[in-house]
Amino acid sequence: MGEYTTKQYNVKDIVPGMTIGKPVVGVNGRVILGEGIILSERIIDQLANWGIHTIDIQELNQTVTAHVKELECYAKKTQNNYEKSLESLKTYFEQTRRYKKISVASMRELSSKSIEQMVNTPGIISFLLMLERKDDYTFHHSLNVAILSGVLGKWLGVGGQDLKDLIFAGLLHDTGKTMVDIDILNKPTKLSKKEFEIVRYHPILGYELLRETQDLPEAVRLGVLQHHERMDGSGYPLSLSGGQIHYFAKIIAIVDIYDAMTSDRVYQTKLDPFSVIETLASEMFGKIDAEFCTIFLQNISNYLTGKFMRLSDGRIAEVVYYDNVAYRRPIVRTDDNEFIDLNKNKALEISEVIDV
Ligand SMILES: [Fe+2]
């Protein structure tokens, strides 16, 4: 990314994630590692064997600031698109609540225009993580699940009309909640057994709302009906397991859990993305599709590398290396140029994502 300055580091101070600024030459005079290579733990372990004592490392400079500005511009456009989509969605959901009928054509248009555009926007994952959600959890959540279903679908190689249908299923996944009393949905205290049963009925209500609609692929209906089913049969409403669950529903289930955990809700404050990754990884055993989830987690963790976070001591830091084994504990570079391995320094935590 353009020009940069370099600083010489002693090998013992090198940590994974640092980028080589000048070619590393071995004792025989040959280049062992080229400029621009990101150092991994494996390479670092080899350095002493190769007789390397110092390495020139790339330092942050003005180019990075310019890049961040460019991304901010993207973020503004996305913000506008997101807010407009949210308003439309609110109107359509309110109409569904009032007339007990979904305006499928209008929602399809919202999905294929604005939402597909957001699926293809660079930086959309960070945008959603940084999003200030006002009230109305269900609207934000439906929009986010639609976007994230599309993003995960793309990572899994879903394309063409299937991808469009998947995004649409994500948008409609909780549409059955429009048939549930608002006071129950927004109740800040624990639900009674009866209220709990009513809420758990929403996938069937959504499926029924869509049953009358012509020209709607069955995959969309199944995505809605089965999004709370779990691989081990512990889900609802039909206690389906593994192979009985449509892949749309498996994808929606993963992003549904992810979005719920990354948002502030009446009864829960949002978690940082590293805790969310950790939770999803443990849910993966038995409950959600392991293959899909692995791809989701790999992409999300790659995505978080290079992003800026606020640490619990208030400093801003860039994630430079993220080791899948040590969930939640990446190596970061602070704004005062200190490299910290959070896996070793347990006193510090990541408190929020601040990158665009
Ligand atoms: Fe749901």
Side-chain angles (χ1 to χ4, degrees):
M1 194 202 289
E3 289 177 14
Y4 49 82
T5 51
T6 60
K7 186 179 162 193
Q8 198 169 67
Y9 278 76
N10 197 305
V11 163
K12 68 173 173 37
D13 298 322
I14 300 279
V15 290
M18 285 179 164
T19 308
I20 296 177
K22 284 182 192 161
V24 178
V25 180
V27 280
N28 59 4
R30 271 203 235 138
V31 173
I32 302 175
L33 297 167
E35 181 185 324
I37 287 178
I38 299 171
L39 290 159
S40 67
E41 211 150 357
R42 212 160 49 89
I43 299 176
I44 296 169
D45 287 345
Q46 290 298 319
L47 293 172
N49 297 341
W50 295 336
I52 310 291
H53 303 294
T54 60
I55 290 187
D56 292 295
I57 293 296
Q58 292 185 10
E59 298 277 290
L60 286 173
N61 67 1
Q62 296 300 317
T63 326
V64 176
T65 322
H67 183 61
V68 169
K69 284 234 159 67
E70 190 186 313
L71 287 173
E72 270 169 6
C73 178
Y74 252 126
K76 269 203 186 93
K77 279 190 197 152
T78 309
Q79 183 80 36
N80 276 339
N81 191 359
Y82 185 93
E83 275 168 17
K84 275 192 196 145
S85 304
L86 195 67
E87 280 312 305
S88 306
L89 191 60
K90 237 182 227 184
T91 311
Y92 302 146
F93 268 40
E94 274 154 18
Q95 282 169 356
T96 308
R97 185 174 283 279
R98 188 173 312 155
Y99 304 115
K100 315 229 174 314
K101 203 169 166 359
I102 300 178
S103 31
V104 176
S106 314
M107 289 190 76
R108 191 57 136 161
E109 198 186 322
L110 172 69
S111 184
S112 65
K113 288 191 177 155
S114 313
I115 301 180
E116 282 178 27
Q117 197 184 330
M118 287 187 274
V119 168
N120 294 314
T121 297
I124 192 69
I125 300 287
S126 304
F127 172 81
L128 293 179
L129 284 169
M130 290 164 57
L131 194 68
E132 283 281 328
R133 301 182 207 208
K134 294 147 205 153
D135 41 358
D136 304 330
Y137 171 75
T138 308
F139 305 125
H140 276 290
H141 181 64
S142 296
L143 191 52
N144 296 359
V145 166
I147 297 168
L148 291 165
S149 295
V151 171
L152 176 53
K154 275 175 69 180
W155 288 339
L156 294 170
V158 181
Q161 190 57 44
D162 287 343
L163 185 67
K164 287 172 174 289
D165 290 340
L166 170 62
I167 296 169
F168 194 42
L171 186 65
L172 295 171
H173 82 287
D174 267 349
T175 197
K177 285 194 177 168
T178 56
M179 299 294 105
V180 177
D181 199 322
I182 287 182
D183 295 334
I184 298 180
L185 287 180
N186 295 337
K187 195 174 170 185
T189 51
K190 206 167 176 270
L191 297 177
S192 70
K193 197 162 179 275
K194 193 166 169 242
E195 290 166 334
F196 190 62
E197 283 308 313
I198 293 171
V199 173
R200 278 166 65 103
Y201 204 64
H202 77 270
I204 291 180
L205 294 170
Y207 183 78
E208 281 176 352
L209 275 168
L210 293 168
R211 204 161 44 185
E212 307 305 319
T213 311
Q214 310 255 311
D215 301 329
L216 193 71
E218 189 61 9
V220 174
R221 293 193 189 95
L222 292 178
V224 172
L225 177 66
Q226 300 175 347
H227 74 275
H228 285 289
E229 300 291 355
R230 294 294 177 256
M231 298 297 282
D232 59 1
S234 63
Y236 62 90
L238 301 173
S239 306
L240 301 179
S241 56
Q244 297 173 298
I245 308 170
H246 192 277
Y247 80 95
F248 275 18
K250 291 178 180 171
I251 292 173
I252 295 171
I254 294 169
V255 300
D256 183 21
I257 298 170
Y258 171 85
D259 185 69
M261 285 192 292
T262 53
S263 63
D264 275 317
R265 292 199 275 172
V266 188
Y267 48 86
Q268 175 210 293
T269 53
K270 72 174 176 184
L271 296 172
D272 70 86
F274 295 95
S275 308
V276 173
I277 288 175
E278 195 180 29
T279 312
L280 268 176
S282 60
E283 282 281 303
M284 189 163 82
F285 298 101
K287 301 238 182 267
I288 51 182
D289 188 285
E291 196 189 323
F292 289 1
C293 189
T294 304
I295 291 176
F296 184 67
L297 293 181
Q298 269 168 3
N299 278 280
I300 291 281
S301 48
N302 286 344
Y303 199 90
L304 291 169
T305 306
K307 302 293 169 196
F308 291 88
M309 314 278 152
R310 192 181 304 283
L311 298 178
S312 48
D313 66 359
R315 277 188 294 176
I316 291 170
E318 181 190 5
V319 176
V320 289
Y321 184 79
Y322 187 79
D323 178 3
N324 278 339
V325 180
Y327 288 117
R328 286 201 66 190
R329 315 297 304 178
I331 292 173
V332 297
R333 170 160 54 184
T334 62
D335 45 3
D336 47 1
N337 246 326
E338 185 189 346
F339 281 85
I340 305 172
D341 183 345
L342 293 178
N343 207 27
K344 292 189 181 126
N345 187 341
K346 305 271 189 204
L348 281 175
E349 296 275 344
I350 283 174
S351 52
E352 61 171 337
V353 180
I354 54 165
D355 194 7
V356 284

